[in-house]
Amino acid sequence: MRKAFILIFLLLGASISLMAQDSKRVTAKEFYALIQQHPDALIVDVRPAGMFAKYRLQNAMPAPEKADLIELTKVVPKSDTIFLYCEKDIRTRPAAEILQGLGYTNIIELKGGLVSWRRYELPLDEEKLK
């Protein structure tokens, strides 16, 4: 009987976790295609500022810190699509969780980060910023 309760508890927890997840992780090719389909969507680079200055996705906005991310989203409706990426797919999950906590429901994360993006030779904005 005790094992049945534990199993039910674990299944309930897993289903609640899946329902609460409002972000979607996609491959570099899918991410690129989705950006093309949503040209007015917010694209957020959550890498450190120095990396953003060297290269980034076209039209991306920097948000290296939580406060930067919150500031960027102040004028973005909760139903809008927000794209998140970093270098190696480490920083997007925490950023997505912040956005979910703020009520955003359409978050798309770049699986594999810019490492994956470059592997497919997808376009980058490499104009150096000061």
Side-chain angles (χ1 to χ4, degrees), residues 99-116:
L99 292 173
Q100 289 167 357
L102 293 171
Y104 289 90
T105 58
N106 196 11
I107 305 160
I108 301 173
E109 298 176 61
L110 174 56
K111 185 178 179 181
L114 288 182
V115 170
S116 175

Side-chain angles (χ1 to χ4, degrees), residues 17-24 69 78 82 84 92-109:
S17 173
L18 288 174
M19 289 188 302
Q21 191 169 13
D22 292 325
S23 69
K24 179 178 173 182
L69 183 60
K78 304 288 189 224
I82 298 178
L84 294 174
T92 56
R93 183 76 243 147
E97 289 171 358
I98 291 167
L99 292 173
Q100 289 167 357
L102 293 171
Y104 289 90
T105 58
N106 196 11
I107 305 160
I108 301 173
E109 298 176 61

